[in-house]
Amino acid sequence: MTNITVSTDRVTLGRKPHVSDVSDTAFALLDEQGTVVAWTQAAEDLVDYTAGEVVGRSASLVLPSFADASAMSAFVEQCRAQNGWSGATTVRHRDGRVLDVGLRISMLWGQDGAVRWLASVTDMGVPSGDAVNALVQGSILARAPIGVSVRDLKLRCAWVNDVMESLDGISRDRRLGFGITDAWPGVETEATEAVMRRMLRSVSTKVYEYRTWLPTPLGEERPLAVSLACLQGADGQALGVCTISVDVTESRQERERLAVLGEAGTRLGSTLDVMQTSQELADLAVPLFADGVAVDLEQSVPFGDGAPVRIGSIGERFPVLRRAGVASIRHGAPESPWVRGERTLVPPASPAAEVLRTGKSYLGPKVDTTPGGWIDQSPALAQRIREHGMHSVMVVPIRARRVLLGMAVFIRTENPLPFQETDLLLAEELVKRAAVSLDKARQYRREHTAAFALQRNLRPHRLRGGGAVEAASRYQPADIDRGVGGDWFDVIPLSGARVALVVGDVVGHGINAAATMGRLRTAVRTLANMEVPPGELLARLDDTVQRLAEADADVPDPAVVGATCLYVVYDPVTRKCTMTTAGHPPPAIIDPQGKVTFPDLPTGTPLGIGLGALFEAMELELPEGSLLALYTDGMIETRDHDIEEGMHRLGTALAQPELSLEELCTRAMAPVEDQLACDDASLLLVRTRSISPVQVASWTLPSDGTVVHRAQNLACGQLAAWGLEALEGSMKLIVSELVTNAVRHSAGPIGLRLIQHEVLTVEVSDSNVSSPRMRDARIVDEHGRGLAMVAQLSRRWGTRPAQGGKVVWAEADLAPGR
């Protein structure tokens, strides 16, 4: 005899609706043609149609999707094949409004194989307090097993679904046509019958609920939540009682899972770290519905490089996956052969391989562990599966916008129940939410990597000061996350052992400012290599900035184009420093004794203003060992201090001539690094060197027929004095060609200078301002091959303007063939 405990004190009336409660559900009984045969008060409350207005009419009156007869017929066949249906749809309110609902169609059996359909409709228009997506919530609850039975006016079972037998163990044949006491002989059911009869007499509009403990077919007792609703006919009178039975344990588990979905919204993606997000996903699922979880990401996702893998484009070669998250009910996750960060192996015949090929989830209620199966393709994995008793698995692809980000593997070892469709639904929803966060993190990482690559390629890798200066630098962007900005600095070797120093600041921050900075840095290097004088160089750069602004004028949301710049040329032979500025702060000059000065440079307008202003240059002579500090305004300007105070702070930090340049950079940057930056901060420090007079030889020669031979002899004699006799052959030819051109194309004295520094430089100056050009001489031409010969014999050559004319120069390595 079966013992049933019915607690009448648990019967409640008119409880406050909750989206996931059965008591909130509107019920309607339909025949096989979709005609409404019974109605409930909850259904009337939902759509405002009374039983008299609905019973006997097609359900399409309130369910628009039933309006098409052919579609309705196909839907009925689908419901028959699947023993029901659940999903999201809409219902039509009496006032014409369309409501979003969760619909569940339960197939009910009657005597002689007759069929009815119970339509259960839950309003999803208002999300629950945990802010979980209503559609997902409804889908999970809709898949939870719910027993349904309908009793007539004599409380005999007229209709029942197959789930009832799994709940209480009573077969359909023992239930149909029988009353409650007939189905459960000898059991005290007076309280239940009394409630049902009272409902039928009063045609109660309330939903009654109680709890009972019934044995399962396995013999274990479990609590059931039972809801009773009165079914009404066309005349509004009672036709019977609909009983809805829900396993309380499973219902509680579903609610717990829904709570995790709500928690997922706040826990997943708390940072832009793909590894942490993957671990958060694994931690959410264990031990809620899985005993172990592994999250594997395609290798380009954590590192932000490489082409994205498209769903369906994998072919025979699987993407490289790395373990990014792992969780287990066992300490240390012993089920996993791989730890976080390691590359994982995907056996070709495994469920994971099929998921990677198709992009569709896999549900494996039972894992095939027989020898020779797919698990033996990976001995390490096979050992873990058998050792820890993995018996059920789900594999869900992690994807976003048709890009495969990876996959999540859920396993059960201790939990004896296999994974079911409801578990897969929850896993897919968790993975979907994690995929959004992972995709954002992936995009951020890719942008971050691209920004750093851009910045790295746009800034000098090494500062080559040659024999002119020793250099060191620091850079701190205002946008710490992306690490890029519009500041730039450079050290550019020039002819004659000279060096150009430049620092600039583009308006704005981030990738756009960095891109503009790269264009301006390239322009400055080009102009510097053309030996354009400082003032003229800034004028041309100003024109470049204006042209950039004009070119971007038609672009939607154009970036602001504007910049300041300081350009300095230092000559170690004369120790003279020529500098000019375009709206940029002056350099700090610290002499060898530690005295700090900021030269009063002629103030030029910032680049891109469009005023066509001239940029005047100032020339200073610096003692050997002087320190020059070129910087951007982020070094001296803060929210709390003015520029003058910042310049004083910078000068004080640098007034330690005995310290190395690296130490001085650290001292100068310390105040900037300790505060919230409002602008990029760049610092370029150079310590000047000088070339000894014994390393320079110069002559002034008359322009006559003997000058070429004399210039060759002077050059060879000086090379011998420096121990560079090996260069005499090439130098005689270079000097001959350069002096010959000077004699041919100019009048007045000719200057010849040799400089021995990191390379050997020969310079020939004359009074002609026109620059020579290398020509492609024909065989019959008598002239035009001289500069081509110079280009072949030297490492580089060029020309630059000089006071009263020009200088043509060529450089050669100190050791031939180097």
Side-chain angles (χ1 to χ4, degrees), residues 465-675:
V469 296
E470 174 193 3
S473 64
R474 290 288 190 277
Y475 169 68
Q476 178 173 301
D479 189 348
I480 296 295
D481 292 333
R482 290 183 173 84
V484 295
D487 285 7
W488 91 93
F489 49 83
D490 213 342
V491 178
I492 307 170
L494 301 177
S495 63
R498 298 171 306 134
V499 66
L501 312 172
V502 59
V503 63
D505 185 358
V506 174
V507 173
H509 313 291
I511 197 75
N512 289 331
T516 302
M517 173 271 288
R519 298 158 87 176
L520 296 185
R521 176 175 180 259
T522 301
V524 170
R525 273 195 160 258
T526 301
L527 294 171
N529 289 329
M530 293 171 61
E531 302 282 2
V532 176
E536 183 181 346
L537 183 143
L538 288 188
R540 294 193 185 186
L541 191 63
D542 179 45
D543 183 64
T544 299
V545 174
Q546 294 180 52
R547 291 179 182 274
L548 290 176
E550 293 171 0
D552 294 340
D554 296 333
V555 178
D557 191 23
V560 177
V561 179
T564 62
C565 184
L566 173 66
Y567 187 76
V568 178
V569 174
Y570 174 68
D571 187 342
V573 175
T574 63
R575 301 197 316 277
K576 290 183 178 179
C577 186
T578 305
M579 55 188 70
T580 184
T581 177
H584 201 86
I589 302 177
I590 300 91
D591 68 16
Q593 287 72 44
K595 180 182 178 182
V596 181
T597 58
F598 290 89
D600 187 15
L601 296 182
T603 303
T605 59
L607 303 174
I609 299 298
L611 299 179
L614 297 177
F615 297 93
E616 299 181 38
M618 171 185 285
E619 186 174 87
L620 302 173
E621 184 173 335
L622 301 177
E624 181 179 0
S626 296
L627 179 69
L628 268 73
L630 286 71
Y631 53 90
T632 57
D633 54 9
M635 289 290 300
I636 59 174
E637 186 176 14
T638 66
R639 292 187 177 93
D640 302 326
H641 303 93
D642 57 23
I643 293 178
E644 287 75 13
E645 185 174 347
M647 293 173 69
H648 176 73
R649 183 179 63 247
L650 175 63
T652 302
L654 298 177
Q656 302 287 333
E658 71 280 1
L659 298 180
S660 70
L661 293 185
E662 292 295 334
E663 290 174 319
L664 290 173
C665 281
T666 301
R667 283 172 54 88
M669 290 295 295
V672 179
E673 295 171 345
D674 293 340
Q675 64 188 6

Side-chain angles (χ1 to χ4, degrees), residues 680-766:
D680 304 329
S682 294
L683 176 65
L684 173 63
L685 295 184
V686 297
R687 182 167 280 140
T688 64
R689 297 167 175 165
S690 64
I691 293 181
S692 171
V694 300
Q695 295 175 269
V696 181
S698 60
W699 303 271
T700 300
L701 305 174
S703 180
D704 57 31
T706 63
V707 69
V708 173
H709 182 67
R710 182 182 177 191
Q712 289 177 326
N713 291 337
L714 291 172
C716 290
Q718 187 61 54
L719 292 177
W722 286 338
L724 300 176
E725 293 88 346
L727 298 180
E728 288 184 5
S730 60
M731 280 296 105
K732 287 179 67 175
L733 291 174
I734 291 175
V735 168
S736 174
E737 294 300 329
L738 296 184
V739 173
T740 298
N741 280 340
V743 171
R744 181 178 295 124
H745 299 291
S746 68
I750 295 173
L752 173 64
R753 185 168 73 160
L754 299 181
I755 307 173
Q756 178 196 8
H757 51 112
E758 292 187 325
V759 294
L760 178 64
T761 300
V762 54
E763 298 178 344
V764 175
S765 59
D766 60 52

Side-chain angles (χ1 to χ4, degrees), residues 278 281-282 292-296 323-327 336 398 407-411:
S278 300
L281 170 60
V293 175
V295 180
D296 297 334
R323 185 129 298 173
V326 62
S336 174
I398 307 173
M407 64 181 179
V409 181
F410 304 82
I411 66 169

